[in-house]
Amino acid sequence: MTHRNQSLDLLRGVAILLVVLVHCAIAASGSVPGLTAFAHEHGERGVQLFFMVSGYTMMLTFGDKVDPAAIRSFYIRRAFRIVPLFWAAILFYLVITKGEGFKFWAPDGIAASDVMLTLLFLHWSSVTAFNSVVPGGWSIAVEMQFYLLFPLLIFLFRRPNGPILVYTGIALISVIGKFAADVYLLPHLAASLPQDQAYLANGFFYCWLPQQLICFGFGILLYDFIELKNRPSFGAVLLAAASLSYSTWGAEVVLLAALACGILAANVRLAFVGLLGRHSYAIYLVHFALVSAITALWPMGLVPLFVLVTGASLGLSYFVIEPLIERRFNRLGHVLASPGRPPKAIATAA
């Protein structure tokens, strides 16, 4: 069985709770002093925590060799883990929005090209597609881009002085990306949009890989520290400095990485939160619809809405989505990734 630190599930559970909390806070009919403010200010950091866990997990589960066979196996396993459920989510959200998508992210509605880009995980390339077909789908696009880069990153990481090269490269991409976006790309895109849609430019460049890559970098750094027992101090300084170039967001990411480090080092386990973590991918994709459906039927305050959405999302994943979709495609992916060998028991991770 592939070794894993069980506290990874706890971190995924915390991440999905933060994400569900912020979306419930937006839709709730009333506020809770302290909790509502926390949700609005920090709930979105759940996505960045997911990215950190993903970077850590990819390092942990890739395998001993970086060769064409290992890369092929990696991509097959990732594809069968991510693609089937995301494609099901595309169909589901197209049905419930009657093919119009989500108006906040596509005020003029979505086109067939937006759906096609999303099917191909290329929706990161379009300001009208990056989050309009599947709510929260921007983060799946970022994950897929990271997967494309990952074999190169792990190849470099395992070479002499490779970790410093990886941390330096990630930090540079992040800082240069911020500079390019702030000075040229974001103003240019905003100017090309109708005035009442200029806000999409900010969202688009928040959701692109150069900004979010720093979170995957922290995940790799945590693996270096926790699993390899190294002390990558210079790498930590590089990533923290690059992250802090993003001001408040970057400071929160650094604190989040420190919190994750403490949890991983202590191998903290909480059974229910870990259960949420193991079902976090499905919960992430379905909770948007549940928030909308529940509040349309029964407007309610933040706490009951949060409890109800979390429980319903977990129930759907546990009894329907995981046994009917995820489990079957995960097994098929592992069979195809390991031809001629029986599938091994392996911990899955989004």
Side-chain angles (χ1 to χ4, degrees), residues 134-166:
V134 175
W138 71 269
S139 66
I140 310 302
V142 170
E143 280 275 350
M144 286 302 212
Q145 292 172 80
F146 176 67
Y147 294 162
L148 289 177
L149 288 176
F150 185 73
L152 174 61
L153 292 176
I154 196 169
F155 172 77
L156 294 174
F157 185 90
R158 291 179 177 177
R159 297 182 68 81
N161 299 315
I164 289 298
L165 182 62
V166 169

Side-chain angles (χ1 to χ4, degrees), residues 230-309:
N230 293 323
R231 297 294 182 266
S233 301
F234 186 60
V237 171
L238 283 172
L239 294 180
S243 188
L244 290 173
S245 71
Y246 288 87
S247 188
T248 302
W249 179 88
E252 291 181 355
V253 167
V254 172
L255 291 174
L256 196 63
L259 175 64
C261 183
I263 291 173
L264 289 165
N267 197 13
V268 179
R269 307 182 189 192
L270 292 173
F272 180 71
V273 181
L275 178 65
L276 289 171
R278 291 190 292 276
H279 290 269
S280 58
Y281 182 39
I283 294 173
Y284 182 79
L285 291 176
V286 304
H287 84 276
F288 297 94
L290 288 173
V291 169
S292 297
I294 292 170
T295 54
L297 293 172
W298 307 290
M300 62 182 68
L302 174 56
V303 172
L305 179 61
F306 175 63
V307 172
L308 188 55
V309 169

Side-chain angles (χ1 to χ4, degrees), residues 48 51-53 211-220 249 253:
Q48 281 71 55
F51 291 157
M52 291 181 194
V53 173
Q211 176 163 344
Q212 303 299 330
L213 185 61
I214 200 77
C215 303
F216 294 101
F218 274 118
I220 295 171
W249 179 88
V253 167

Side-chain angles (χ1 to χ4, degrees), residues 159-220:
R159 297 182 68 81
N161 299 315
I164 289 298
L165 182 62
V166 169
Y167 302 139
T168 301
I170 289 174
L172 284 174
I173 290 171
S174 184
V175 171
I176 293 171
K178 175 175 172 53
F179 177 80
D182 289 348
V183 173
Y184 175 73
L185 298 174
L186 196 157
H188 180 75
L189 178 59
S192 71
L193 296 169
Q195 188 173 3
D196 62 346
Q197 298 179 22
Y199 67 90
L200 292 172
N202 288 296
F204 183 78
F205 285 107
Y206 171 81
C207 296
W208 76 329
L209 182 63
Q211 176 163 344
Q212 303 299 330
L213 185 61
I214 200 77
C215 303
F216 294 101
F218 274 118
I220 295 171

Side-chain angles (χ1 to χ4, degrees), residues 25 28-37 40 300-303:
S29 60
S31 62
V32 178
L35 182 61
T36 299
H40 286 296
M300 62 182 68
L302 174 56
V303 172

